[in-house]
Amino acid sequence: MDNVEPSYLRPNGSTQCVYSISYFHAEHIIYLYIMTPIALIGIFLNSISIIVYSDKSFSTVAFKYLKLLSITDLFICIIVTPYFICFYSKQNTDEPGFKLRMHYLRFIIIPFSNIASNLATLFNLLVNIERLISVRFPTRKAKLFTTNRYILSCVVVLLSLIHISQGIVR
């Protein structure tokens, strides 16, 4: 019996709400056995990237942006790994820890993964703008990309992210 019809989804005997157990089984396998090792590998490799980019020989602005990208990717991997393990290793909603897992999803996973993914996107945009200007105006690169402007651009990204996240909450 591949299709299961939960009783709470059948108002007045309707059979419109039917879901497949095989879908949830495939989702369980993908998230628990494929995505969890990928996230753990991401934690390890992003940690190495942060250590490498912290060296003094990588002090240009481009490497600072790459270090920020590694930090945001590390943040995403750290947040989603417990989610994959907790939510896909225990499927029973009657367990005592289910309510705690739902709070973790609501207050940690969703907001912080959205923030980290938006940060990664915006920092990637900054890296691409820096590369475009470096190719288009190579003689002005040193003047345009100073440490103060790097810090200013990171602050602008963080402030725009706060503005974006406030729009999502409303």
Side-chain angles (χ1 to χ4, degrees):
M1 185 178 224
D2 193 29
N3 291 332
V4 174
E5 227 174 344
S7 60
Y8 60 86
L9 292 178
R10 285 186 280 166
N12 301 328
S14 172
T15 59
Q16 293 178 355
C17 297
V18 176
Y19 63 90
S20 174
I21 294 272
S22 61
Y23 169 77
F24 291 109
H25 185 65
E27 181 183 25
H28 168 78
I29 290 172
I30 289 170
Y31 280 105
L32 187 61
Y33 299 112
I34 296 173
M35 295 301 291
T36 301
I38 289 174
L40 292 172
I41 291 169
I43 290 171
F44 176 70
L45 293 178
N46 282 312
S47 300
I48 290 174
S49 296
I50 291 168
I51 292 169
V52 168
Y53 291 141
S54 297
D55 190 50
K56 291 191 182 224
S57 61
F58 296 105
S59 62
T60 62
V61 174
F63 288 116
K64 290 179 182 178
Y65 285 129
L66 291 176
K67 183 179 175 184
L68 280 174
L69 282 173
S70 295
I71 290 170
T72 55
D73 288 343
L74 177 68
F75 188 59
I76 291 171
C77 290
I78 288 172
I79 288 173
V80 299
T81 302
Y83 170 74
F84 293 151
I85 294 170
C86 290
F87 283 90
Y88 291 101
S89 63
K90 299 175 183 174
Q91 297 292 323
N92 191 1
T93 59
D94 296 331
E95 292 180 10
F98 182 75
K99 191 173 184 178
L100 178 66
R101 291 195 316 250
M102 287 297 115
H103 284 296
Y104 180 73
L105 174 68
R106 181 177 177 196
F107 296 113
I108 303 293
I109 294 287
I110 293 173
F112 287 115
S113 62
N114 286 335
I115 289 170
S117 63
N118 288 330
L119 271 177
T121 303
L122 292 173
F123 285 137
N124 194 7
L125 179 67
L126 284 177
V127 170
N128 288 328
I129 290 171
E130 190 265 339
R131 288 181 181 170
L132 174 71
I133 292 174
S134 297
V135 169
R136 180 77 174 125
F137 307 108
T139 57
R140 297 187 208 166
K141 180 183 176 187
K143 185 179 178 183
L144 289 173
F145 296 106
T146 62
T147 303
N148 290 335
R149 288 191 180 171
Y150 161 76
I151 293 170
L152 178 67
S153 64
C154 291
V155 168
V156 167
V157 164
L158 290 173
L159 290 176
S160 65
L161 182 66
I162 290 169
H163 179 69
I164 289 170
S165 64
Q166 285 178 350
I168 292 172
V169 171
R170 290 181 197 165

